[in-house]
Amino acid sequence: MKRSLADKIEQYLKVLIERSDDKQIEIQRSELAETFSCVPSQVTYVISTRFTEAEGYYTESRRGGKGFVRIRRYHLENGGASRKELVAFIDELLQDDALTTSQSDLLKHLISYSFKDIPPEYRRRLYKQFRKVVLDYVNLD
Amino acid sequence: MKRSLADKIEQYLKVLIERSDDKQIEIQRSELAETFSCVPSQVTYVISTRFTEAEGYYTESRRGGKGFVRIRRYHLENGGASRKELVAFIDELLQDDALTTSQSDLLKHLISYSFKDIPPEYRRRLYKQFRKVVLDYVNLD
DNA sequence: CTTTTCTTTGACTATTGTTGACTATCTATT
DNA sequence: AATAGATAGTCAACAATAGTCAAAGAAAAG
């Protein structure tokens, strides 16, 4: 299998991301270009073609002295993440006395009104994440 | 993560502010410049780019003998677009007995861990929205 | 072989950070 | 009140990054 330079850079970055604690890395564009003996814009090319949101990554950057490019991987989840399910889950926790009424009320309020102007795919992710974080919270003791 | 001098000064000041009783500090520009071995105008640069009103800070200063720069953190009416500010806001509500400890703990947990995988522009929106929704919730009675 | 798509490169642009010379304002002293 | 000294602010030049875009080259598809 013949791999292009772009492929190699992509691989390199993905390994770094997977090995990181928080699935996130920060690189310096010109430094990476140096490592692969290519022009800096090649790095930009790789990042913009292979680390797109559709592929489960998002990036941030800063120019100027000590500038950087940060790449973060998130998990694309397709499992049932809806408001309804999340509310039902919270009710379960309430039944189990894992949450108080005042907590579950607040939670439901948040769930119902906080995600209004967030695009659906992110909203699903938030429902999912909320579930995970709440569960994590009640298991803290 | 490599941090620029400006980043370090910003961090330093923010720690001082958060540790202060009244979320407010007074510094001497040239003294701080001395601490970081840089020119005084670097301090001005940091303050004007990272302690803006948009970011939730007010600054005042006085020239001449015993001059100073005062930086004060406040809470944005429709801002609060950062985790830190939102957590501070929750703490305020706790102080005012608008929220119970169990509620604020849960909230802070949610705020800290739920938005990790959301792109920054939506994350900011979520922080703002969260603030609004929590405020709305405590005003329900 | 031709066309299309992907890769590589480099010139130019945009943004952020650092420095220093010059200016403005305040306090203390005369 | 005038003046000197001590601060802080402004601004423009320069440095250090990253981004854009289009052209040229390479690889894949037809």
Side-chain angles (χ1 to χ4, degrees), chain B residues 61-124:
Chain B
S61 67
R62 207 172 59 194
R63 307 182 186 191
K66 303 286 182 356
F68 62 84
V69 178
R70 179 183 305 140
I71 308 175
R72 184 158 49 97
R73 182 168 69 65
Y74 72 101
H75 293 296
L76 296 159
E77 205 41 56
N78 19 337
S82 75
R83 190 188 65 82
K84 228 170 190 171
E85 281 180 90
L86 185 51
V87 167
F89 175 67
I90 304 276
D91 279 333
E92 269 179 35
L93 292 178
L94 177 62
Q95 297 266 301
D96 298 347
D97 289 318
L99 289 175
T100 66
T101 306
S102 78
Q103 286 178 322
S104 74
D105 282 352
L106 174 57
L107 273 176
K108 287 190 225 169
H109 199 77
L110 286 170
I111 291 161
S112 300
Y113 301 111
S114 298
F115 306 154
K116 293 247 150 109
D117 294 344
I118 303 295
E121 78 262 32
Y122 292 122
R123 207 182 313 151
R124 279 191 289 277

Side-chain angles (χ1 to χ4, degrees), chain A residues 63-98:
Chain A
R63 307 183 185 190
K66 301 293 192 307
F68 60 83
V69 178
R70 180 182 304 143
I71 309 175
R72 170 116 136 203
R73 179 171 70 67
Y74 58 81
H75 283 296
L76 299 156
E77 322 220 27
N78 26 352
S82 69
R83 191 188 65 83
K84 219 171 186 176
E85 281 177 275
L86 184 50
V87 167
F89 174 67
I90 287 168
D91 280 331
E92 261 178 50
L93 293 178
L94 179 61
Q95 296 275 301
D96 297 345
D97 289 319

Side-chain angles (χ1 to χ4, degrees), chain A residues 1-15 27 32-33 35-51 55 71:
Chain A
M1 171 177 67
K2 183 86 193 304
R3 286 153 83 235
S4 66
L5 175 54
D7 288 337
K8 290 175 195 154
I9 295 174
E10 174 192 8
Q11 245 355 83
Y12 177 79
L13 292 174
K14 287 189 171 166
V15 167
I27 57 160
L32 185 59
T35 303
F36 284 90
S37 306
C38 63
V39 294
S41 56
Q42 175 75 290
V43 174
T44 305
Y45 172 72
V46 171
I47 289 171
S48 66
T49 55
R50 286 131 147 111
F51 292 87
E55 319 218 12
I71 309 175

Side-chain angles (χ1 to χ4, degrees), chain B residues 34-46:
Chain B
E34 184 83 16
T35 304
F36 284 90
S37 306
C38 64
V39 294
S41 56
Q42 176 74 282
V43 174
T44 305
Y45 173 72
V46 171

Side-chain angles (χ1 to χ4, degrees), chain A residues 26 28 31 53 58-60 62 65-66 68 70 72-75 99-107 109-110 113-119 122-123 125-126 129-130 133-134 136-137 140, chain B residues 1-5 7-8 10 50 99-107 109-111 113-126 129-134 136-138 140:
Chain A
E26 264 176 32
Q28 293 212 289
E31 198 181 272
E53 279 201 27
Y58 67 80
T59 61
E60 292 169 273
R62 200 175 66 187
K66 301 293 192 307
F68 60 83
R70 180 182 304 143
R72 170 116 136 203
R73 179 171 70 67
Y74 58 81
H75 283 296
L99 290 174
T100 65
T101 307
S102 80
Q103 286 177 322
S104 73
D105 281 353
L106 174 55
L107 272 176
H109 198 78
L110 286 171
Y113 301 111
S114 296
F115 306 154
K116 290 267 146 94
D117 34 327
I118 301 295
Y122 294 131
R123 208 182 309 150
R125 203 183 300 164
L126 282 164
Q129 192 64 15
F130 242 60
V133 174
V134 169
D136 182 46
Y137 177 82
L140 275 185
Chain B
M1 157 162 158
K2 276 181 188 162
R3 284 149 84 230
S4 63
L5 175 55
D7 289 335
K8 290 175 195 155
E10 174 192 8
R50 287 132 144 109
L99 289 175
T100 66
T101 306
S102 78
Q103 286 178 322
S104 74
D105 282 352
L106 174 57
L107 273 176
H109 199 77
L110 286 170
I111 291 161
Y113 301 111
S114 298
F115 306 154
K116 293 247 150 109
D117 294 344
I118 303 295
E121 78 262 32
Y122 292 122
R123 207 182 313 151
R124 279 191 289 277
R125 199 181 297 173
L126 280 164
Q129 194 63 15
F130 240 62
R131 186 191 198 277
K132 203 180 295 176
V133 173
V134 169
D136 182 46
Y137 177 82
V138 303
L140 277 184

